[in-house]
Amino acid sequence: GAGVSQSPSNKVTEKGKDVELRCDPISGHTALYWYRQRLGQGLEFLIYFQGNSAPDKSGLPSDRFSAERTGESVSTLTIQRTQQEDSAVYLCASSLDGGAGELFFGEGSRLTVL
Amino acid sequence: AQSVTQLGSHVSVSEGALVLLRCNYSSSVPPYLFWYVQYPNQGLQLLLKYTSAATLVKGINGFEAEFKKSETSFHLTKPSAHMSDAAEYFCAVRHYGGSQGNLIFGKGTKLSVKP
């Protein structure tokens, strides 16, 4: 597609369940970012992938969070044993590289943990 | 460390009034600077960016921003606010310090437009 695609757009889960969120970046974009946005808050950096380099995982809030990226394509963010404080919108963005280019954002995946 | 400060988490203007959203950054090298807008229940989209060409940058929807190195500022302006401008605005700086994917976002300013 022409833009960054995220799925699911909405996910409601029970506390303790695992969830997977998917991001399809723009074709050819080597850089991919995940952010968390809690209700009424700004962007919280989670993880950054750039080409074949080791990802920058410095923003992951706990070991319940992990992310993978297959080559320069799809990325999956996994949250294990979800907690209510994980409820947020998870935004994915991609850019042509990690240089001066702008980020292109998906619409986000809204996660609600009951 | 690189940082971005947006003064005012919430700004309210009347329709037709000047919009001014403030952004100050810290960077040890000439930065790349961005303004993004987020409409309700949507992702962010680029309004404009500064990449060391002209210091006055024009963006979409009538917005512009001026890079002032001496003030380390990149304030966003629009001469006349429209109701459709109500959204949240994020300033960001691209840096090369290696953290957070070389990109730091401000905390955002929510713009309300009164009729």
Side-chain angles (χ1 to χ4, degrees):
Chain A
V4 177
S5 177
Q6 292 188 246
S7 61
S9 54
N10 278 286
K11 176 73 175 178
V12 180
T13 191
E14 294 180 348
K15 178 181 173 180
K17 300 283 189 182
D18 297 352
V19 297
E20 283 190 354
L21 307 177
R22 177 187 169 105
C23 174
D24 279 282
I26 293 173
S27 178
H29 281 194
T30 63
L32 187 147
Y33 302 72
W34 282 99
Y35 294 92
R36 179 169 68 180
Q37 187 174 33
R38 291 194 166 113
L39 186 64
Q41 302 296 311
L43 298 175
E44 180 184 358
F45 169 79
L46 295 178
I47 190 168
Y48 165 65
F49 296 91
Q50 172 56 54
N52 294 319
S53 301
D56 176 357
K57 303 180 181 180
S58 61
L60 294 179
S62 76
D63 59 7
R64 295 187 296 105
F65 287 73
S66 63
E68 294 183 345
R69 187 179 186 193
T70 307
E72 294 182 354
S73 60
V74 172
S75 176
T76 302
L77 177 68
T78 302
I79 308 172
Q80 296 179 310
R81 305 181 302 282
T82 52
Q83 304 294 312
Q84 288 185 331
E85 63 262 29
D86 299 335
S87 296
V89 175
Y90 290 83
L91 290 165
C92 176
S94 70
S95 71
L96 193 58
D97 56 33
E102 67 264 34
L103 270 59
F104 294 82
F105 282 82
E107 297 281 307
S109 291
R110 181 178 300 276
L111 175 65
T112 303
V113 182
L114 302 177
Chain B
Q2 310 293 343
S3 67
V4 176
T5 303
Q6 291 186 240
L7 294 176
S9 60
H10 194 176
V11 170
S12 181
V13 300
S14 297
E15 192 173 20
L18 172 71
V19 175
L20 171 60
L21 304 182
R22 299 177 186 274
C23 174
N24 288 88
Y25 68 92
S26 68
S27 175
S28 57
V29 296
Y32 297 112
L33 295 157
F34 306 83
W35 275 100
Y36 288 86
V37 61
Q38 184 179 34
Y39 297 104
N41 300 313
Q42 295 186 24
L44 281 70
Q45 65 182 92
L46 183 71
L47 266 181
L48 50 80
K49 64 179 180 180
Y50 167 77
T51 58
S52 76
T55 56
L56 182 63
V57 182
K58 294 186 183 298
I60 61 171
N61 302 336
F63 284 93
E64 62 183 36
E66 186 172 8
F67 171 68
K68 291 187 176 180
K69 184 178 178 180
S70 61
E71 299 178 6
T72 61
S73 69
F74 191 57
H75 302 330
L76 182 70
T77 60
K78 182 174 181 178
S80 176
H82 294 168
M83 297 297 292
S84 60
D85 295 327
E88 187 143 23
Y89 293 79
F90 293 92
C91 181
V93 60
R94 179 73 88 171
H95 69 107
Y96 294 93
S99 66
Q100 300 191 22
N102 300 325
L103 187 65
I104 304 292
F105 278 91
K107 294 186 182 299
T109 298
K110 188 171 185 178
L111 176 67
S112 299
V113 182
K114 300 175 290 188

